[in-house]
Amino acid sequence: MTEKAIYVEHATKHFGDFKAVHNLSFEVNKATCFGLLGPNGAGKTTMMNMLTGRVRADSDNARIINVLGYDPLKNELEIRYLTGIVPQENNLDVELSVSQNLYIYSKFYGLPQNVASRRISELLEFMELTEKKEARIRELSGGMQRRLIIARALINSPHLLILDEPTTGLDPQVRQAIWDKMRMLKKTGVTIVLTTHYMDEAAQLCDDLIIMHKGEKILQGHPSALISKNLETYVLEILNTDVFSTIEAKGFRTEETAGRLMLYGDRLSSLETVTEPLNAGDFFLRPVNLEDLFLKVTGRSLHD
Amino acid sequence: MTKALLPQLIVTTPPPLAYRLYSIWYRHIRVYCKHLVSNGFPPFVEPLFFLAGVGLGLGHYVGLIDGTPYLLFLASGMIAPSSMFTAAFECTFGTFIRLEFDKAYDGMVSASITVTDLFVGEILFVGTKGFFFTLAVMSVFTVFGLVPSYYAILTPLVGFFAGMMFGALSLFVTSFVKTINHFNFFLTGCLTPMFFFSGIVFPITNLPEWIQWVSEVFPLTHSVRLIRACCLGQFSSLLFFDILFMAAFTIIFGYLAVSRLEKRLIQ
């Protein structure tokens, strides 16, 4: 049996009357990547913060939260000592240099000076920041700052890495580079918990994920298994609103938004038949992806 | 649910309390010292201007106060507020910016640091600032021959505890504040009157009795009294009351501040 890193059963959190997380249960195996997906306000960050004691779960006898063998309500310090956290917002000390930022954090974990400096050069190397070692934070691009924050979260060689929207606002090169680093970390035995709004990111990294909506779990599973279980294989998106009325949509599951008509089907050839009278540029025919599933289960309306 | 399903415990020992407090203190010192000159210079020269302006100008008309020449009386009073102001600014504007704008605390409590460590460490840091500011002002006054007693060597120690006291008070105030402009109420509404009614510029003994009582409640009065005693070498057993007041004030407000700020950081 695979070893677990996190075990959560019946986790609930209210803020006043607002139910942020409701009766959530999941487990995360060691050295895997677990994703928490959901629209804004779904409770992803709240759930992640409950793992490290930053948010205290509502007391309930049925509730079990166990992270690396510890209960966050009793042993938050032990959990945080074993965990690296990458917050949503960058919070580097802008007055200090790149290596000083890492050195300050090494102190929080009580690393001896020689261990800290060795670890800092390793991490700068790993995150490709060695040249920026002495740079001030202001001189770094957004992607470099993000990489530095990830390096900072790794300073104490964590068993668990928690990432809250790690690649939001970054260019494709940086995103791909960060994904590669995450895969390398997973290989070394680090367990990763991730929230993201990018479905391609989740599909790339996650071995298991849950889609949350209004504090509750809607779906859980491996990304590709979830897609094949809950969706057709292909989707035809028709973008020209003028032709909607002429489309023969019988036999397909359809969805319509203000600017698009979507036909879902398992056979590519039958969808191609539909596209025959259409001009190129009026439609997209493509395999379904995690984003289609996400929108199907959380709805297309705006959540905030 | 059987226990066997739970994750296996990873045995670990986070750094002990003293080390955690030290690491917070070290962080603040490191960040503060990046701008040492611009941070440290103004509060250092301000007492000199005040002393020159009020002491030389007014001193001409004032004779002895309690047997002490006015300039010496004023100088020994002017050492105390430096520690108050540095602690108060650090733990109002400084703390609020770290809390709401920089999100520095969010990062720190995601390391192996508790909220209590965070703010006790910060109180120790402003105590340290109080120590050095008091030392600096006292040294300058000594050069000008305004500090007659060798016991003045003890004033930085009083400055350390005064810094902690005002740090605790200011953190308590900060725990209520929602927007940064609210600090004006505290700084102009509380600290300024405290400055004038704590026996710095004139002794409180000749004020109406009710004001005397009010000024006994002001924390600054007690640090002024202790520092003046050291500077002039005039000690009395009543000073134990001042030490006791400062200790109790720091502990009470420190405790309240930490527990209120904890609610703000841990939901």
Side-chain angles (χ1 to χ4, degrees):
Chain A
M1 200 180 76
T2 43
E3 228 181 288
K4 287 182 186 59
I6 298 173
Y7 185 90
V8 174
E9 197 172 294
H10 307 305
T12 297
K13 178 67 188 179
H14 285 79
F15 295 118
D17 285 336
F18 177 69
K19 202 190 290 171
V21 170
H22 183 63
N23 203 15
L24 204 62
S25 303
F26 61 91
E27 46 196 70
V28 181
N29 287 331
K30 232 176 148 177
T32 63
C33 177
F34 181 80
L36 286 163
L37 311 186
N40 286 333
K44 307 180 294 291
T45 303
T46 305
M47 186 59 242
M48 290 214 311
N49 284 337
M50 270 195 263
L51 297 177
T52 56
R54 191 60 205 281
V55 168
R56 293 185 205 280
D58 291 351
S59 46
D60 172 1
N61 290 333
R63 182 211 62 224
I64 302 171
I65 300 180
N66 190 306
V67 180
L68 305 170
Y70 295 98
D71 176 353
L73 291 182
K74 293 190 201 110
N75 298 94
E76 48 168 348
L77 215 52
E78 281 78 3
I79 293 176
R80 287 188 207 146
Y81 188 71
L82 295 166
T83 305
I85 300 177
V86 175
Q88 230 172 73
E89 293 175 68
N90 286 353
N91 55 0
L92 295 160
D93 278 318
V94 289
E95 291 89 349
L96 303 179
S97 73
V98 167
S99 57
Q100 284 168 341
N101 261 281
L102 296 177
Y103 186 64
I104 294 283
Y105 269 65
S106 77
K107 286 263 177 208
F108 294 156
Y109 294 100
L111 295 187
Q113 185 133 15
N114 55 340
V115 179
S117 20
R118 198 177 60 229
R119 188 74 191 137
I120 287 168
S121 21
E122 278 170 19
L123 285 170
L124 290 176
E125 193 68 40
F126 181 62
M127 280 295 162
E128 297 167 44
L129 288 166
T130 306
E131 284 166 30
K132 294 284 169 186
K133 199 171 177 220
E134 302 306 327
R136 297 279 212 105
I137 300 308
R138 276 182 244 280
E139 298 159 20
L140 302 185
S141 67
M144 288 176 186
Q145 291 198 17
R146 211 60 191 150
R147 269 145 58 204
L148 179 56
I149 290 197
I150 295 175
R152 193 181 72 181
L154 295 171
I155 193 88
N156 197 35
S157 314
H159 289 247
L160 172 66
L161 183 61
I162 294 185
L163 304 147
D164 201 352
E165 299 184 21
T167 64
T168 299
L170 302 184
D171 66 33
Q173 284 83 352
V174 177
R175 293 178 66 203
Q176 303 255 346
I178 289 179
W179 295 347
D180 286 338
K181 307 298 177 195
M182 296 302 116
R183 288 192 198 95
M184 287 160 80
L185 287 171
K186 219 160 65 173
K187 279 222 179 74
T188 65
V190 176
T191 309
I192 298 175
V193 174
L194 164 98
T195 77
T196 182
H197 285 304
Y198 298 123
M199 297 303 133
D200 54 337
E201 179 163 278
Q204 284 267 350
L205 292 178
C206 295
D207 303 290
D208 187 21
L209 60 83
I210 62 179
I211 296 180
M212 295 175 70
H213 190 35
K214 295 182 178 160
E216 298 190 37
K217 175 161 85 181
I218 312 182
L219 282 176
Q220 175 168 9
H222 185 275
S224 52
L226 275 179
I227 295 170
S228 57
K229 200 172 135 202
N230 295 285
L231 278 181
E232 299 78 356
T233 317
Y234 298 99
V235 59
L236 170 64
E237 295 186 59
I238 297 161
L239 308 170
N240 184 351
T241 47
D242 301 332
V243 300
F244 282 8
S245 51
T246 67
I247 300 293
E248 181 61 56
K250 225 169 143 192
F252 301 107
R253 184 170 69 83
T254 64
E255 229 180 306
E256 192 174 339
T257 69
R260 276 178 309 165
L261 178 66
M262 275 154 283
L263 276 62
Y264 294 87
D266 285 320
R267 284 177 51 209
L268 190 60
S269 56
S270 51
L271 283 168
E272 277 169 345
T273 321
V274 180
T275 66
E276 270 159 20
L278 301 175
N279 297 320
D282 279 354
F283 67 90
F284 282 125
L285 180 55
R286 58 173 177 81
V288 294
N289 59 32
L290 195 58
E291 186 146 333
D292 298 313
L293 176 64
F294 182 86
L295 290 167
K296 183 186 174 189
V297 295
T298 60
R300 287 187 181 268
S301 58
L302 303 179
H303 293 288
D304 61 359
Chain B
M1 225 13 95
T2 56
K3 276 268 178 200
L5 285 170
L6 294 179
Q8 210 186 349
L9 184 86
I10 298 172
V11 179
T12 183
T13 42
L17 175 69
Y19 192 90
R20 300 199 306 270
L21 294 179
Y22 160 71
S23 69
I24 296 293
W25 178 89
Y26 177 84
R27 184 261 171 206
H28 289 314
I29 293 282
R30 207 54 199 270
V31 172
Y32 180 79
C33 288
K34 275 273 154 178
H35 302 289
L36 191 59
V37 175
S38 56
N39 274 334
F41 191 64
F44 179 62
V45 291
E46 205 195 337
L48 267 183
F49 288 136
F50 195 89
L51 195 70
V54 177
L56 296 178
L58 200 63
H60 187 69
Y61 302 94
V62 184
L64 298 177
I65 291 181
D66 300 335
T68 307
Y70 184 64
L71 210 55
L72 294 192
F73 175 88
L74 183 63
S76 61
M78 282 305 296
I79 296 173
S82 61
S83 146
M84 169 177 87
F85 282 116
T86 181
F89 277 96
E90 187 66 47
C91 288
T92 51
F93 290 111
T95 299
F96 192 81
I97 287 167
R98 286 188 283 274
L99 185 69
E100 296 290 334
F101 299 133
D102 290 350
K103 305 278 179 194
Y105 297 138
D106 284 348
M108 291 152 92
V109 295
S110 37
S112 60
I113 297 289
T114 68
V115 175
T116 309
D117 301 340
L118 201 62
F119 292 109
V120 175
E122 193 156 316
I123 289 173
L124 287 169
F125 163 63
V126 292
T128 310
K129 281 179 83 177
F131 180 93
F132 283 105
F133 275 67
T134 308
L135 178 65
V137 177
M138 186 271 287
S139 307
V140 173
F141 286 179
T142 306
V143 170
F144 283 89
L146 298 169
V147 180
S149 169
Y150 285 113
Y151 284 107
I153 201 86
L154 294 172
T155 53
L157 206 62
V158 182
F160 177 75
F161 289 108
M164 296 221 300
M165 171 172 69
F166 286 105
L169 174 66
S170 307
L171 284 179
F172 177 70
V173 171
T174 303
S175 74
F176 288 92
V177 164
K178 297 277 183 287
T179 88
I180 200 158
N181 300 317
H182 288 165
F183 287 124
N184 295 332
F185 290 109
F186 175 59
L187 296 172
T188 9
C190 294
L191 297 192
T192 308
M194 214 188 289
F195 180 84
F196 283 105
F197 294 96
S198 292
I200 292 171
V201 193
F202 47 82
I204 54 173
T205 38
N206 293 329
L207 293 169
E209 201 177 342
W210 70 270
I211 297 184
Q212 286 191 44
W213 282 111
V214 171
S215 90
E216 284 302 325
V217 179
F218 288 163
L220 185 59
T221 308
H222 303 279
S223 58
V224 167
R225 217 176 263 155
L226 285 168
I227 284 181
R228 179 166 286 144
C230 294
C231 287
L232 303 177
Q234 297 168 350
F235 297 98
S236 91
S237 52
L238 280 174
L239 294 174
F240 279 109
F241 169 75
D242 297 302
I243 294 171
L244 214 63
F245 179 96
M246 285 176 66
F249 193 95
T250 309
I251 291 166
I252 291 168
F253 279 92
Y255 174 79
L256 292 174
V258 170
S259 45
R260 284 189 52 86
L261 286 164
E262 180 154 53
K263 288 204 188 83
R264 220 159 139 161
L265 277 164
I266 306 281
Q267 293 153 320

